[in-house]
Amino acid sequence: MIINIGCDLVNIVRFKKSLQNKKFTDRIFHQTEIDYCKPKKDEASSLAARFAAKEAFAKALGSGIFAQGIGFSEIWIENAPNGKPTVRVSKKLETQLDSQGVTGWDVSLSHHVDYAMATVVMYSKGSNK
Ligand SMILES: CC(C)(COP(=O)(O)OP(=O)(O)OC[C@H]1O[C@@H](n2cnc3c(N)ncnc32)[C@H](O)[C@@H]1OP(=O)(O)O)[C@@H](O)C(=O)NCCC(=O)NCCS
Protein backbone atom coordinates (compact mmCIF):
# COMPACT_ATOMS: atom_id res chain seq x y z
CA MET A 1 0.00 0.00 0.00
CA ILE A 2 1.21 3.52 -0.82
CA ILE A 3 0.49 6.25 1.73
CA ASN A 4 0.63 9.90 0.63
CA ILE A 5 -0.03 12.98 2.71
CA GLY A 6 -1.08 16.54 1.90
CA CYS A 7 -1.45 19.57 4.14
CA ASP A 8 -2.56 23.18 3.79
CA LEU A 9 -2.70 26.28 5.97
CA VAL A 10 -5.12 29.20 5.41
CA ASN A 11 -4.96 32.71 6.86
CA ILE A 12 -8.55 33.25 8.04
CA VAL A 13 -8.33 37.08 7.97
CA ARG A 14 -7.38 37.08 4.27
CA PHE A 15 -9.83 34.28 3.52
CA LYS A 16 -12.73 36.32 4.98
CA LYS A 17 -12.20 38.86 2.17
CA SER A 18 -12.68 36.12 -0.45
CA LEU A 19 -15.88 35.01 1.30
CA GLN A 20 -17.43 38.43 0.62
CA ASN A 21 -17.59 37.38 -3.05
CA LYS A 22 -20.63 35.08 -3.41
CA LYS A 23 -19.33 33.73 -6.74
CA PHE A 24 -16.20 32.51 -4.92
CA THR A 25 -18.25 30.82 -2.18
CA ASP A 26 -20.60 29.16 -4.69
CA ARG A 27 -17.69 27.91 -6.81
CA ILE A 28 -15.62 26.54 -3.94
CA PHE A 29 -18.08 25.04 -1.47
CA HIS A 30 -20.58 22.19 -1.58
CA GLN A 31 -24.03 22.94 -0.13
CA THR A 32 -23.33 20.43 2.69
CA GLU A 33 -20.40 22.59 3.81
CA ILE A 34 -22.37 25.84 3.63
CA ASP A 35 -25.23 24.29 5.65
CA TYR A 36 -22.82 22.97 8.32
CA CYS A 37 -20.78 26.16 8.69
CA LYS A 38 -23.52 28.82 8.46
CA PRO A 39 -24.96 28.37 11.99
CA LYS A 40 -21.49 28.40 13.56
CA LYS A 41 -20.36 31.40 15.63
CA ASP A 42 -17.20 31.56 13.52
CA GLU A 43 -18.39 30.41 10.12
CA ALA A 44 -15.28 31.72 8.32
CA SER A 45 -12.91 29.54 10.38
CA SER A 46 -14.74 26.33 9.48
CA LEU A 47 -15.02 27.37 5.80
CA ALA A 48 -11.29 28.19 5.77
CA ALA A 49 -10.52 24.72 7.19
CA ARG A 50 -12.64 23.18 4.42
CA PHE A 51 -10.75 25.18 1.79
CA ALA A 52 -7.51 23.88 3.33
CA ALA A 53 -8.91 20.32 3.16
CA LYS A 54 -9.59 20.60 -0.59
CA GLU A 55 -6.03 21.83 -1.19
CA ALA A 56 -4.60 19.14 1.11
CA PHE A 57 -6.58 16.43 -0.72
CA ALA A 58 -5.21 17.64 -4.07
CA LYS A 59 -1.68 17.67 -2.65
CA ALA A 60 -2.02 14.12 -1.30
CA LEU A 61 -3.17 13.00 -4.75
CA GLY A 62 -0.35 14.93 -6.39
CA SER A 63 -1.69 14.89 -9.95
CA GLY A 64 -2.96 18.47 -10.27
CA ILE A 65 -6.69 17.71 -10.24
CA PHE A 66 -7.82 21.34 -10.16
CA ALA A 67 -5.85 21.98 -13.38
CA GLN A 68 -7.56 18.92 -14.93
CA GLY A 69 -11.14 20.19 -14.78
CA ILE A 70 -12.13 19.00 -11.30
CA GLY A 71 -13.90 21.78 -9.38
CA PHE A 72 -13.24 22.62 -5.73
CA SER A 73 -16.88 21.83 -4.86
CA GLU A 74 -16.35 18.22 -6.08
CA ILE A 75 -14.36 17.62 -2.87
CA TRP A 76 -16.25 18.39 0.32
CA ILE A 77 -16.30 17.75 4.03
CA GLU A 78 -19.10 16.00 5.88
CA ASN A 79 -19.13 15.75 9.66
CA ALA A 80 -20.33 12.71 11.61
CA PRO A 81 -22.74 13.37 14.52
CA ASN A 82 -19.70 13.37 16.88
CA GLY A 83 -18.03 16.09 14.75
CA LYS A 84 -15.45 13.90 13.00
CA PRO A 85 -14.89 15.19 9.44
CA THR A 86 -14.77 12.99 6.31
CA VAL A 87 -13.85 13.93 2.74
CA ARG A 88 -16.56 13.13 0.18
CA VAL A 89 -16.01 13.37 -3.59
CA SER A 90 -18.19 13.63 -6.73
CA LYS A 91 -18.86 10.55 -8.90
CA LYS A 92 -16.62 12.03 -11.60
CA LEU A 93 -13.69 12.40 -9.21
CA GLU A 94 -14.39 8.99 -7.65
CA THR A 95 -13.96 7.39 -11.09
CA GLN A 96 -10.68 9.24 -11.59
CA LEU A 97 -9.43 8.20 -8.13
CA ASP A 98 -10.36 4.55 -8.85
CA SER A 99 -8.36 4.65 -12.08
CA GLN A 100 -5.37 6.03 -10.16
CA GLY A 101 -5.58 3.16 -7.64
CA VAL A 102 -6.68 5.33 -4.70
CA THR A 103 -8.43 3.11 -2.14
CA GLY A 104 -9.18 5.53 0.72
CA TRP A 105 -8.26 8.63 2.68
CA ASP A 106 -8.65 10.38 6.02
CA VAL A 107 -8.69 14.06 7.00
CA SER A 108 -8.09 16.13 10.12
CA LEU A 109 -9.04 19.83 10.50
CA SER A 110 -8.10 22.52 12.99
CA HIS A 111 -8.78 26.26 13.30
CA HIS A 112 -7.63 28.75 15.88
CA VAL A 113 -7.64 32.58 15.83
CA ASP A 114 -6.03 33.60 12.49
CA TYR A 115 -5.28 30.22 10.90
CA ALA A 116 -7.07 27.09 9.72
CA MET A 117 -5.33 23.92 8.61
CA ALA A 118 -6.03 20.48 7.19
CA THR A 119 -4.06 17.28 6.74
CA VAL A 120 -5.10 14.49 4.39
CA VAL A 121 -3.68 10.95 4.37
CA MET A 122 -4.38 9.01 1.17
CA TYR A 123 -4.05 5.27 0.57
CA SER A 124 -3.36 3.74 -2.86
CA LYS A 125 -2.67 0.30 -4.28
CA GLY A 126 0.96 -0.62 -4.85
CA SER A 127 4.23 -0.12 -3.06
CA ASN A 128 6.55 2.87 -2.88
CA LYS A 129 9.54 0.75 -1.83
C1 LIG B 1 -13.34 17.64 19.01
C2 LIG B 1 -12.07 18.32 19.46
C3 LIG B 1 -10.92 17.38 19.19
C4 LIG B 1 -11.87 19.64 18.67
O1 LIG B 1 -10.63 20.22 19.02
P1 LIG B 1 -10.45 21.78 19.27
O2 LIG B 1 -9.05 22.02 19.67
O3 LIG B 1 -11.54 22.25 20.15
O4 LIG B 1 -10.74 22.47 17.88
P2 LIG B 1 -9.91 22.42 16.50
O5 LIG B 1 -10.06 23.73 15.84
O6 LIG B 1 -8.53 21.91 16.65
O7 LIG B 1 -10.71 21.33 15.68
C5 LIG B 1 -12.01 21.57 15.26
C6 LIG B 1 -12.32 20.52 14.23
O8 LIG B 1 -12.14 19.22 14.84
C7 LIG B 1 -12.87 18.30 14.05
N1 LIG B 1 -13.54 17.36 14.96
C8 LIG B 1 -14.62 17.59 15.74
N2 LIG B 1 -14.96 16.45 16.38
C9 LIG B 1 -14.08 15.50 15.99
C10 LIG B 1 -13.93 14.11 16.29
N3 LIG B 1 -14.77 13.46 17.12
N4 LIG B 1 -12.91 13.42 15.72
C11 LIG B 1 -12.08 14.05 14.85
N5 LIG B 1 -12.17 15.37 14.52
C12 LIG B 1 -13.16 16.07 15.09
C13 LIG B 1 -13.90 19.11 13.23
O9 LIG B 1 -13.51 19.02 11.88
C14 LIG B 1 -13.74 20.53 13.78
O10 LIG B 1 -13.89 21.54 12.82
P3 LIG B 1 -15.29 21.77 12.05
O11 LIG B 1 -16.37 21.82 13.07
O12 LIG B 1 -15.07 23.06 11.33
O13 LIG B 1 -15.44 20.60 11.12
C15 LIG B 1 -12.15 18.68 20.97
O14 LIG B 1 -13.23 19.51 21.17
C16 LIG B 1 -12.27 17.48 21.88
O15 LIG B 1 -11.27 16.88 22.21
N6 LIG B 1 -13.49 17.14 22.30
C17 LIG B 1 -13.77 16.11 23.27
C18 LIG B 1 -13.19 14.77 23.01
C19 LIG B 1 -13.49 14.23 21.63
O16 LIG B 1 -14.62 14.11 21.20
N7 LIG B 1 -12.43 13.87 20.94
C20 LIG B 1 -12.53 13.32 19.63
C21 LIG B 1 -11.25 13.39 18.92
S1 LIG B 1 -10.07 12.31 19.63
Side-chain angles (χ1 to χ4, degrees):
M1 180 174 62
I2 298 171
I3 300 176
N4 287 300
I5 60 168
C7 69
D8 196 54
L9 181 67
V10 172
N11 181 309
I12 297 167
V13 179
R14 276 174 47 196
F15 189 73
K16 272 182 183 165
K17 290 185 188 145
S18 305
L19 290 178
Q20 287 165 4
N21 180 345
K22 190 174 179 306
K23 270 192 190 157
F24 172 83
T25 310
D26 290 347
R27 188 169 63 82
I28 300 296
F29 296 106
H30 192 272
Q31 193 59 44
T32 305
E33 299 178 303
I34 293 169
D35 293 345
Y36 175 83
C37 297
K38 206 166 191 62
K40 285 190 166 246
K41 203 169 72 188
D42 198 352
E43 177 189 3
S45 297
S46 285
L47 286 173
R50 278 152 183 76
F51 185 78
K54 295 164 198 279
E55 295 274 20
F57 190 92
K59 287 180 186 176
L61 189 60
S63 58
I65 43 171
F66 295 133
Q68 293 166 17
I70 295 292
F72 276 80
S73 63
E74 292 185 62
I75 300 168
W76 70 95
I77 295 286
E78 277 186 20
N79 293 74
N82 70 351
K84 183 173 168 42
T86 305
V87 174
R88 301 287 310 275
V89 299
S90 67
K91 279 276 166 227
K92 179 178 155 195
L93 179 53
E94 194 179 309
T95 305
Q96 187 173 323
L97 294 171
D98 280 348
S99 72
Q100 287 183 235
V102 175
T103 54
W105 51 79
D106 199 7
V107 65
S108 185
L109 308 182
S110 185
H111 34 77
H112 184 63
V113 192
D114 288 347
Y115 288 92
M117 61 171 285
T119 302
V120 168
V121 178
M122 189 172 283
Y123 313 101
S124 307
K125 288 179 208 156
S127 165
N128 48 5
K129 285 215 169 132

